[in-house]
Amino acid sequence: MLDPQKIRADFPALHQLVHGKPLVYLDNAATAQKPQIVIDTLSHFYERDNSNVHRGLHALSMRATDAYESARSRVAKFINAADPAEIIFTRGTTESINLVAASWGSANLKPGDVILLTEMEHHSNLVPWQLIAKRTGATLRYLPVIGADAEGGLDLTRLDSLLTPEVKLFAFTHVSNSLGVVNPAAELCAKARARGIITVVDGAQSIGHMPVDVRALDCDFYAFSGHKMAGVTGIGVLYGRRAMLDAMPPWQGGGGMISNVDFFESRWKPAPERFEAGTPNFADAVALGAACDYLDVLGREAIAQHDGALACLAFEKLSELPGIRLLGPRGARSGLVSFAFAEVHAHDIVTFADEDGVALRGGHHCNQPLMRKLGLTGTTRASFYVYNTAEEIDVLVASLRRTLKFFGAA
Ligand code: PLP
Protein backbone atom coordinates (compact mmCIF):
# COMPACT_ATOMS: atom_id res chain seq x y z
CA MET A 1 0.00 0.00 0.00
CA LEU A 2 1.28 3.47 -0.84
CA ASP A 3 1.48 6.11 1.87
CA PRO A 4 0.47 9.27 -0.01
CA GLN A 5 1.17 11.53 2.99
CA LYS A 6 4.79 10.36 2.99
CA ILE A 7 5.05 10.50 -0.81
CA ARG A 8 3.82 14.12 -0.85
CA ALA A 9 7.07 15.18 0.82
CA ASP A 10 8.90 14.19 -2.40
CA PHE A 11 6.90 16.62 -4.57
CA PRO A 12 7.76 20.30 -3.97
CA ALA A 13 5.00 21.69 -6.22
CA LEU A 14 2.29 20.21 -4.00
CA HIS A 15 3.22 22.37 -1.03
CA GLN A 16 1.66 25.66 -2.01
CA LEU A 17 -1.52 27.62 -1.54
CA VAL A 18 -3.69 28.45 -4.54
CA HIS A 19 -6.08 31.36 -3.98
CA GLY A 20 -5.25 30.98 -0.29
CA LYS A 21 -6.25 27.28 -0.20
CA PRO A 22 -3.97 24.21 -0.07
CA LEU A 23 -3.42 22.95 -3.61
CA VAL A 24 -5.39 19.79 -4.47
CA TYR A 25 -3.79 18.70 -7.73
CA LEU A 26 -6.21 16.46 -9.65
CA ASP A 27 -4.99 17.13 -13.20
CA ASN A 28 -2.51 14.29 -13.36
CA ALA A 29 -3.82 12.81 -16.61
CA ALA A 30 -2.73 16.03 -18.32
CA THR A 31 0.64 16.07 -16.59
CA ALA A 32 1.94 14.74 -13.29
CA GLN A 33 4.03 16.64 -10.74
CA LYS A 34 7.75 15.84 -10.47
CA PRO A 35 9.55 14.38 -7.46
CA GLN A 36 12.61 16.24 -6.16
CA ILE A 37 14.92 13.44 -7.32
CA VAL A 38 13.86 13.97 -10.95
CA ILE A 39 14.33 17.75 -10.66
CA ASP A 40 17.72 17.21 -9.00
CA THR A 41 18.84 14.70 -11.65
CA LEU A 42 18.08 17.24 -14.37
CA SER A 43 19.88 20.08 -12.52
CA HIS A 44 22.83 17.85 -11.74
CA PHE A 45 23.16 16.88 -15.40
CA TYR A 46 23.23 20.53 -16.49
CA GLU A 47 25.57 21.50 -13.64
CA ARG A 48 28.17 18.77 -14.31
CA ASP A 49 27.74 16.58 -17.37
CA ASN A 50 26.15 18.74 -20.05
CA SER A 51 27.71 18.17 -23.46
CA ASN A 52 26.43 16.89 -26.78
CA VAL A 53 26.24 13.10 -26.98
CA HIS A 54 27.71 10.56 -29.44
CA ARG A 55 30.05 12.78 -31.42
CA GLY A 56 32.51 13.91 -28.73
CA LEU A 57 35.68 12.36 -27.42
CA HIS A 58 36.14 14.54 -24.36
CA ALA A 59 35.21 13.68 -20.79
CA LEU A 60 31.92 15.58 -20.59
CA SER A 61 30.66 14.24 -23.89
CA MET A 62 31.52 10.71 -22.84
CA ARG A 63 29.77 11.21 -19.50
CA ALA A 64 26.70 12.65 -21.22
CA THR A 65 26.66 9.79 -23.73
CA ASP A 66 26.92 7.22 -20.94
CA ALA A 67 24.10 8.90 -19.02
CA TYR A 68 21.90 9.06 -22.15
CA GLU A 69 22.50 5.44 -23.11
CA SER A 70 22.01 4.31 -19.49
CA ALA A 71 18.63 6.08 -19.54
CA ARG A 72 17.75 4.10 -22.68
CA SER A 73 18.65 0.84 -20.92
CA ARG A 74 16.70 1.94 -17.84
CA VAL A 75 13.58 2.61 -19.91
CA ALA A 76 14.00 -0.75 -21.69
CA LYS A 77 14.03 -2.44 -18.29
CA PHE A 78 11.04 -0.39 -17.13
CA ILE A 79 8.85 -1.86 -19.88
CA ASN A 80 10.71 -5.18 -20.19
CA ALA A 81 11.88 -4.57 -23.77
CA ALA A 82 14.27 -7.24 -25.05
CA ASP A 83 16.92 -4.75 -26.19
CA PRO A 84 17.73 -1.06 -25.44
CA ALA A 85 17.91 -0.52 -29.23
CA GLU A 86 14.12 -0.93 -29.20
CA ILE A 87 13.78 2.34 -27.24
CA ILE A 88 13.60 5.47 -29.40
CA PHE A 89 13.53 8.78 -27.55
CA THR A 90 10.93 11.20 -28.89
CA ARG A 91 9.16 14.33 -27.62
CA GLY A 92 6.28 12.25 -26.29
CA THR A 93 3.38 9.99 -27.18
CA THR A 94 2.23 12.25 -30.00
CA GLU A 95 5.59 12.27 -31.73
CA SER A 96 6.00 8.51 -31.20
CA ILE A 97 2.73 7.76 -32.97
CA ASN A 98 3.50 10.24 -35.75
CA LEU A 99 6.84 8.45 -36.22
CA VAL A 100 5.14 5.07 -36.79
CA ALA A 101 2.50 6.59 -39.06
CA ALA A 102 5.06 8.47 -41.16
CA SER A 103 7.73 5.77 -41.33
CA TRP A 104 5.92 2.43 -41.19
CA GLY A 105 2.78 3.86 -42.77
CA SER A 106 4.46 5.46 -45.78
CA ALA A 107 6.44 2.27 -46.49
CA ASN A 108 3.63 -0.24 -46.00
CA LEU A 109 0.17 1.26 -46.63
CA LYS A 110 -1.53 1.38 -50.03
CA PRO A 111 -5.02 1.95 -51.44
CA GLY A 112 -7.42 -0.69 -50.15
CA ASP A 113 -5.60 -1.15 -46.84
CA VAL A 114 -7.43 -0.42 -43.60
CA ILE A 115 -6.18 1.10 -40.32
CA LEU A 116 -8.31 -0.03 -37.37
CA LEU A 117 -8.71 2.45 -34.48
CA THR A 118 -11.19 2.68 -31.62
CA GLU A 119 -13.80 5.32 -30.87
CA MET A 120 -12.06 6.26 -27.63
CA GLU A 121 -8.74 7.38 -29.15
CA HIS A 122 -7.05 10.64 -28.18
CA HIS A 123 -6.50 12.95 -31.16
CA SER A 124 -2.82 11.92 -30.98
CA ASN A 125 -3.79 8.39 -31.97
CA LEU A 126 -6.26 9.49 -34.58
CA VAL A 127 -5.04 12.50 -36.58
CA PRO A 128 -1.64 10.95 -37.53
CA TRP A 129 -3.57 8.00 -39.03
CA GLN A 130 -5.91 10.34 -40.89
CA LEU A 131 -2.88 12.10 -42.37
CA ILE A 132 -1.13 8.92 -43.52
CA ALA A 133 -4.41 7.41 -44.77
CA LYS A 134 -4.91 10.46 -47.01
CA ARG A 135 -1.35 10.20 -48.31
CA THR A 136 -1.40 6.47 -49.03
CA GLY A 137 -5.04 5.85 -50.03
CA ALA A 138 -5.68 3.62 -46.99
CA THR A 139 -8.94 4.02 -45.05
CA LEU A 140 -9.86 4.16 -41.37
CA ARG A 141 -12.24 1.89 -39.48
CA TYR A 142 -13.37 2.09 -35.84
CA LEU A 143 -14.06 -0.40 -33.08
CA PRO A 144 -17.07 1.15 -31.26
CA VAL A 145 -17.58 1.83 -27.56
CA ILE A 146 -20.71 0.42 -25.88
CA GLY A 147 -23.35 2.15 -23.79
CA ALA A 148 -24.73 5.68 -23.61
CA ASP A 149 -21.96 6.60 -21.16
CA ALA A 150 -19.44 4.22 -22.74
CA GLU A 151 -19.62 2.36 -19.44
CA GLY A 152 -18.96 -0.91 -21.23
CA GLY A 153 -15.72 0.27 -22.80
CA LEU A 154 -14.91 -1.19 -26.20
CA ASP A 155 -17.42 -3.46 -27.90
CA LEU A 156 -15.12 -6.48 -28.06
CA THR A 157 -17.87 -8.63 -29.60
CA ARG A 158 -17.33 -6.63 -32.80
CA LEU A 159 -13.57 -7.06 -32.97
CA ASP A 160 -13.33 -10.37 -34.87
CA SER A 161 -15.62 -9.15 -37.64
CA LEU A 162 -13.66 -5.88 -37.98
CA LEU A 163 -10.24 -7.58 -38.21
CA THR A 164 -10.63 -8.43 -41.90
CA PRO A 165 -7.69 -9.22 -44.23
CA GLU A 166 -7.58 -5.54 -45.41
CA VAL A 167 -6.60 -4.40 -41.90
CA LYS A 168 -2.84 -3.84 -41.79
CA LEU A 169 -2.53 -2.00 -38.50
CA PHE A 170 -4.55 -1.77 -35.28
CA ALA A 171 -3.83 1.25 -33.03
CA PHE A 172 -5.58 1.59 -29.67
CA THR A 173 -5.15 3.16 -26.28
CA HIS A 174 -4.19 1.04 -23.27
CA VAL A 175 -6.16 3.35 -20.94
CA SER A 176 -8.78 5.89 -22.05
CA ASN A 177 -7.99 9.45 -20.95
CA SER A 178 -11.66 10.38 -20.63
CA LEU A 179 -13.40 7.12 -19.67
CA GLY A 180 -10.81 5.65 -17.33
CA VAL A 181 -11.37 2.23 -18.87
CA VAL A 182 -8.37 -0.13 -19.04
CA ASN A 183 -8.45 -2.01 -22.33
CA PRO A 184 -7.40 -5.68 -22.46
CA ALA A 185 -4.30 -4.80 -24.47
CA ALA A 186 -2.73 -8.29 -24.49
CA GLU A 187 -5.95 -9.83 -25.79
CA LEU A 188 -6.28 -7.17 -28.53
CA CYS A 189 -2.65 -7.65 -29.58
CA ALA A 190 -3.05 -11.44 -29.68
CA LYS A 191 -6.09 -11.20 -31.96
CA ALA A 192 -4.23 -8.85 -34.29
CA ARG A 193 -1.04 -10.91 -34.30
CA ALA A 194 -2.95 -14.09 -35.18
CA ARG A 195 -3.96 -12.28 -38.39
CA GLY A 196 -0.55 -10.71 -39.12
CA ILE A 197 -1.77 -7.21 -38.17
CA ILE A 198 0.69 -4.70 -36.69
CA THR A 199 -0.27 -3.23 -33.29
CA VAL A 200 0.39 0.24 -31.90
CA VAL A 201 -0.52 0.78 -28.24
CA ASP A 202 -0.95 4.33 -26.90
CA GLY A 203 0.47 4.06 -23.40
CA ALA A 204 0.16 7.74 -22.41
CA GLN A 205 -2.30 7.04 -19.57
CA SER A 206 -0.98 3.62 -18.53
CA ILE A 207 2.79 3.97 -18.37
CA GLY A 208 3.03 5.75 -15.01
CA HIS A 209 0.05 4.04 -13.42
CA MET A 210 0.49 0.28 -13.76
CA PRO A 211 3.07 -2.38 -14.66
CA VAL A 212 3.74 -2.38 -18.42
CA ASP A 213 5.52 -5.34 -20.02
CA VAL A 214 5.77 -4.98 -23.79
CA ARG A 215 6.84 -8.59 -24.23
CA ALA A 216 3.87 -9.89 -22.26
CA LEU A 217 1.58 -7.57 -24.24
CA ASP A 218 3.26 -8.80 -27.43
CA CYS A 219 2.66 -5.45 -29.17
CA ASP A 220 4.73 -4.16 -32.10
CA PHE A 221 4.86 -0.56 -30.87
CA TYR A 222 4.18 1.12 -27.52
CA ALA A 223 4.16 4.93 -27.23
CA PHE A 224 4.36 7.07 -24.09
CA SER A 225 5.28 10.46 -22.60
CA GLY A 226 7.69 11.12 -19.73
CA HIS A 227 5.72 14.03 -18.25
CA LYS A 228 2.74 11.84 -17.32
CA MET A 229 4.95 9.44 -15.32
CA ALA A 230 6.76 11.90 -13.02
CA GLY A 231 9.38 12.65 -15.68
CA VAL A 232 9.90 16.06 -17.26
CA THR A 233 8.22 17.47 -20.37
CA GLY A 234 9.69 17.20 -23.87
CA ILE A 235 10.77 13.56 -23.61
CA GLY A 236 8.90 10.40 -24.50
CA VAL A 237 9.46 6.99 -25.96
CA LEU A 238 8.54 4.83 -28.88
CA TYR A 239 9.14 1.17 -28.15
CA GLY A 240 9.33 -0.82 -31.37
CA ARG A 241 10.08 -4.47 -31.95
CA ARG A 242 13.67 -4.62 -33.24
CA ALA A 243 12.85 -6.44 -36.47
CA MET A 244 10.13 -3.90 -37.26
CA LEU A 245 12.36 -0.88 -36.61
CA ASP A 246 15.23 -2.21 -38.71
CA ALA A 247 12.87 -2.68 -41.66
CA MET A 248 11.47 0.89 -41.43
CA PRO A 249 12.78 3.93 -43.33
CA PRO A 250 13.85 7.10 -41.46
CA TRP A 251 11.15 9.69 -40.93
CA GLN A 252 13.44 12.67 -40.36
CA GLY A 253 16.91 13.24 -41.78
CA GLY A 254 19.91 14.92 -40.19
CA GLY A 255 22.97 14.32 -38.05
CA GLY A 256 23.32 11.22 -35.93
CA MET A 257 21.09 8.95 -38.00
CA ILE A 258 23.41 8.23 -40.92
CA SER A 259 26.29 5.81 -41.45
CA ASN A 260 27.44 7.55 -44.64
CA VAL A 261 26.38 10.66 -46.57
CA ASP A 262 27.20 11.51 -50.18
CA PHE A 263 26.01 14.47 -52.23
CA PHE A 264 23.13 12.44 -53.69
CA GLU A 265 22.73 9.35 -51.49
CA SER A 266 22.96 8.45 -47.81
CA ARG A 267 22.90 5.27 -45.76
CA TRP A 268 21.21 4.95 -42.37
CA LYS A 269 22.29 3.64 -39.02
CA PRO A 270 20.16 0.92 -37.46
CA ALA A 271 17.61 1.70 -34.72
CA PRO A 272 17.51 3.59 -32.46
CA GLU A 273 19.82 6.20 -34.08
CA ARG A 274 17.99 5.92 -37.43
CA PHE A 275 14.97 7.56 -35.77
CA GLU A 276 16.79 10.17 -33.67
CA ALA A 277 17.98 12.73 -36.23
CA GLY A 278 19.70 15.81 -34.80
CA THR A 279 20.73 16.51 -31.22
CA PRO A 280 18.49 14.35 -29.05
CA ASN A 281 16.88 15.54 -25.84
CA PHE A 282 19.53 13.79 -23.75
CA ALA A 283 19.12 15.81 -20.52
CA ASP A 284 15.42 15.09 -20.23
CA ALA A 285 16.05 11.42 -21.11
CA VAL A 286 18.44 11.19 -18.14
CA ALA A 287 15.73 12.67 -15.90
CA LEU A 288 13.28 10.11 -17.32
CA GLY A 289 15.60 7.36 -16.10
CA ALA A 290 15.33 8.86 -12.59
CA ALA A 291 11.52 8.86 -12.90
CA CYS A 292 11.63 5.13 -13.76
CA ASP A 293 13.71 4.50 -10.62
CA TYR A 294 11.32 6.55 -8.50
CA LEU A 295 8.20 4.71 -9.71
CA ASP A 296 9.81 1.30 -9.37
CA VAL A 297 10.74 1.99 -5.75
CA LEU A 298 7.07 2.79 -5.04
CA GLY A 299 6.07 -0.31 -7.02
CA ARG A 300 3.81 -0.16 -10.01
CA GLU A 301 1.32 -2.74 -8.70
CA ALA A 302 0.96 -0.57 -5.60
CA ILE A 303 0.54 2.56 -7.75
CA ALA A 304 -2.18 0.87 -9.83
CA GLN A 305 -4.03 -0.17 -6.69
CA HIS A 306 -3.75 3.28 -5.12
CA ASP A 307 -4.83 5.27 -8.20
CA GLY A 308 -7.63 2.81 -9.09
CA ALA A 309 -8.98 2.79 -5.51
CA LEU A 310 -9.07 6.61 -5.41
CA ALA A 311 -10.89 6.72 -8.76
CA CYS A 312 -13.47 4.17 -7.55
CA LEU A 313 -13.97 6.13 -4.32
CA ALA A 314 -14.38 9.35 -6.30
CA PHE A 315 -16.86 7.63 -8.63
CA GLU A 316 -18.97 6.51 -5.65
CA LYS A 317 -18.88 9.89 -3.87
CA LEU A 318 -19.54 11.87 -7.06
CA SER A 319 -22.49 9.65 -7.98
CA GLU A 320 -24.36 11.16 -4.98
CA LEU A 321 -24.34 14.62 -6.60
CA PRO A 322 -27.65 15.67 -8.21
CA GLY A 323 -27.77 15.52 -12.01
CA ILE A 324 -24.27 14.12 -12.46
CA ARG A 325 -23.44 11.95 -15.48
CA LEU A 326 -20.39 9.78 -14.88
CA LEU A 327 -18.56 8.26 -17.83
CA GLY A 328 -16.92 4.87 -18.11
CA PRO A 329 -17.18 1.72 -16.02
CA ARG A 330 -18.53 1.73 -12.46
CA GLY A 331 -16.10 -0.95 -11.27
CA ALA A 332 -12.37 -1.35 -11.84
CA ARG A 333 -10.87 1.61 -13.64
CA SER A 334 -7.62 3.48 -13.94
CA GLY A 335 -6.96 6.58 -11.84
CA LEU A 336 -9.38 9.06 -13.37
CA VAL A 337 -13.06 10.00 -13.36
CA SER A 338 -14.87 12.08 -15.98
CA PHE A 339 -18.28 13.62 -15.40
CA ALA A 340 -20.78 16.15 -16.69
CA PHE A 341 -23.77 18.15 -15.42
CA ALA A 342 -26.57 19.16 -17.79
CA GLU A 343 -26.89 22.63 -16.23
CA VAL A 344 -23.29 23.63 -15.55
CA HIS A 345 -20.55 23.87 -18.15
CA ALA A 346 -17.28 22.03 -17.44
CA HIS A 347 -15.31 25.28 -17.72
CA ASP A 348 -17.42 26.86 -14.95
CA ILE A 349 -16.83 23.84 -12.74
CA VAL A 350 -13.08 24.01 -13.28
CA THR A 351 -13.01 27.78 -12.65
CA PHE A 352 -14.98 27.44 -9.39
CA ALA A 353 -12.84 24.48 -8.28
CA ASP A 354 -9.71 26.56 -8.89
CA GLU A 355 -11.01 29.14 -6.39
CA ASP A 356 -11.05 26.28 -3.87
CA GLY A 357 -7.48 25.29 -4.73
CA VAL A 358 -8.59 22.23 -6.73
CA ALA A 359 -6.92 21.71 -10.12
CA LEU A 360 -9.24 19.88 -12.55
CA ARG A 361 -9.49 19.77 -16.33
CA GLY A 362 -12.60 20.53 -18.35
CA GLY A 363 -13.23 20.19 -22.05
CA HIS A 364 -13.18 17.52 -24.75
CA HIS A 365 -9.81 16.10 -23.56
CA CYS A 366 -8.71 15.65 -27.20
CA ASN A 367 -11.55 13.13 -27.62
CA GLN A 368 -13.88 15.20 -29.82
CA PRO A 369 -15.35 12.30 -31.84
CA LEU A 370 -16.09 10.32 -28.65
CA MET A 371 -17.66 13.36 -26.95
CA ARG A 372 -19.87 13.93 -29.99
CA LYS A 373 -20.95 10.30 -29.96
CA LEU A 374 -21.87 10.62 -26.27
CA GLY A 375 -23.79 13.85 -26.96
CA LEU A 376 -21.42 15.97 -24.86
CA THR A 377 -19.40 19.10 -25.60
CA GLY A 378 -16.98 18.07 -22.89
CA THR A 379 -16.58 16.74 -19.37
CA THR A 380 -14.81 17.63 -16.15
CA ARG A 381 -12.00 15.23 -15.29
CA ALA A 382 -10.40 14.49 -11.93
CA SER A 383 -7.29 12.36 -12.26
CA PHE A 384 -5.23 10.90 -9.45
CA TYR A 385 -1.64 9.99 -8.77
CA VAL A 386 0.59 8.57 -6.06
CA TYR A 387 0.37 11.67 -3.84
CA ASN A 388 -3.42 12.12 -3.85
CA THR A 389 -5.50 11.24 -0.80
CA ALA A 390 -9.09 10.28 0.04
CA GLU A 391 -9.41 13.62 1.91
CA GLU A 392 -8.74 15.46 -1.34
CA ILE A 393 -11.78 13.75 -2.86
CA ASP A 394 -13.87 15.25 -0.04
CA VAL A 395 -12.49 18.70 -0.93
CA LEU A 396 -13.42 18.05 -4.58
CA VAL A 397 -16.98 16.99 -3.70
CA ALA A 398 -17.47 20.00 -1.40
CA SER A 399 -16.26 22.31 -4.17
CA LEU A 400 -18.65 20.75 -6.67
CA ARG A 401 -21.56 21.14 -4.22
CA ARG A 402 -20.72 24.83 -3.86
CA THR A 403 -20.67 25.26 -7.65
CA LEU A 404 -23.94 23.40 -8.16
CA LYS A 405 -25.58 25.54 -5.49
CA PHE A 406 -24.33 28.73 -7.12
CA PHE A 407 -25.88 27.68 -10.45
CA GLY A 408 -29.12 26.58 -8.75
CA ALA A 409 -28.49 22.99 -9.75
CA ALA A 410 -28.49 21.51 -6.23
N1 PLP B 1 -2.82 9.62 -25.76
C1 PLP B 1 -3.54 9.76 -24.64
C2 PLP B 1 -4.49 8.68 -24.24
C3 PLP B 1 -3.39 10.90 -23.85
O1 PLP B 1 -4.11 11.05 -22.74
C4 PLP B 1 -2.47 11.90 -24.27
C5 PLP B 1 -2.32 13.16 -23.50
O2 PLP B 1 -3.15 13.57 -22.76
C6 PLP B 1 -1.74 11.71 -25.44
C7 PLP B 1 -1.94 10.55 -26.16
C8 PLP B 1 -0.76 12.71 -25.93
O3 PLP B 1 0.33 12.83 -25.08
P1 PLP B 1 1.43 13.96 -25.33
O4 PLP B 1 0.67 15.25 -25.45
O5 PLP B 1 2.29 13.90 -24.12
O6 PLP B 1 2.13 13.62 -26.59
Side-chain angles (χ1 to χ4, degrees), residues 64-366:
T65 303
D66 277 354
Y68 182 53
E69 292 307 324
S70 299
R72 196 188 302 283
S73 302
R74 183 64 188 87
V75 171
K77 194 167 149 225
F78 193 70
I79 59 170
N80 196 31
D83 184 342
E86 297 181 319
I87 303 301
I88 297 162
F89 284 118
T90 63
R91 281 193 302 125
T93 311
T94 304
E95 190 171 81
S96 298
I97 296 171
N98 274 279
L99 192 167
V100 182
S103 170
W104 185 90
S106 64
N108 291 284
L109 293 170
K110 56 182 188 320
D113 288 345
V114 172
I115 300 163
L116 181 64
L117 305 173
T118 86
E119 286 182 343
M120 64 171 73
E121 295 315 311
H122 188 279
H123 297 166
S124 297
N125 200 23
L126 208 157
V127 182
W129 304 114
Q130 290 179 345
L131 291 172
I132 197 66
K134 284 223 163 67
R135 261 179 237 142
T136 58
T139 53
L140 303 180
R141 182 182 287 174
Y142 286 89
L143 179 61
V145 294
I146 333 178
D149 294 324
E151 75 279 7
L154 293 174
D155 187 352
L156 297 176
T157 62
R158 299 279 302 282
L159 185 56
D160 284 332
S161 63
L162 292 172
L163 288 172
T164 57
E166 300 78 39
V167 178
K168 295 294 179 293
L169 179 140
F170 180 23
F172 61 90
T173 194
H174 200 164
V175 168
S176 160
N177 64 307
S178 53
L179 303 176
V181 65
V182 183
N183 289 323
E187 188 189 321
L188 301 186
C189 288
K191 278 187 186 284
R193 181 160 302 287
R195 294 161 174 85
I197 296 166
I198 302 302
T199 46
V200 180
V201 184
D202 174 348
Q205 294 297 343
S206 46
I207 189 69
H209 295 269
M210 58 200 260
V212 170
D213 179 334
V214 289
R215 277 190 278 177
L217 290 175
D218 204 16
C219 54
D220 291 297
F221 298 100
Y222 198 93
F224 57 93
S225 305
H227 69 98
K228 293 184 199 278
M229 53 169 283
V232 296
T233 43
I235 189 76
V237 169
L238 175 68
Y239 157 81
R241 212 185 269 280
R242 182 90 200 246
M244 298 285 307
L245 293 175
D246 282 341
M248 281 160 50
W251 78 305
Q252 290 178 343
M257 48 77 74
I258 44 78
S259 59
N260 186 58
V261 178
D262 236 318
F263 280 121
F264 298 101
E265 286 287 336
S266 298
R267 283 203 299 276
W268 329 126
K269 283 188 179 158
E273 286 90 349
R274 181 181 300 180
F275 302 102
E276 293 182 359
T279 297
N281 187 357
F282 44 80
D284 291 341
V286 173
L288 181 61
C292 293
D293 288 343
Y294 183 81
L295 296 184
D296 273 344
V297 168
L298 295 182
R300 280 181 286 160
E301 281 292 358
I303 296 173
Q305 268 178 21
H306 171 82
D307 297 355
L310 281 184
C312 286
L313 180 65
F315 194 100
E316 290 314 317
K317 291 203 166 178
L318 291 170
S319 62
E320 289 164 14
L321 294 176
I324 196 165
R325 179 175 170 192
L326 283 146
L327 300 191
R330 184 164 203 107
R333 54 169 49 232
S334 78
L336 64 92
V337 180
S338 236
F339 51 92
F341 295 95
E343 285 130 21
V344 191
H345 195 278
H347 288 166
D348 290 324
I349 290 174
V350 174
T351 305
F352 272 64
D354 183 53
E355 290 173 0
D356 295 329
V358 181
L360 298 171
R361 190 149 295 250
H364 55 62
H365 313 296
C366 295

Side-chain angles (χ1 to χ4, degrees), residues 38-50 63:
V38 169
I39 300 168
D40 289 348
T41 301
L42 188 63
S43 308
H44 182 268
F45 182 86
Y46 279 125
E47 283 162 7
R48 258 182 48 94
D49 299 332
N50 179 52
R63 249 192 262 148

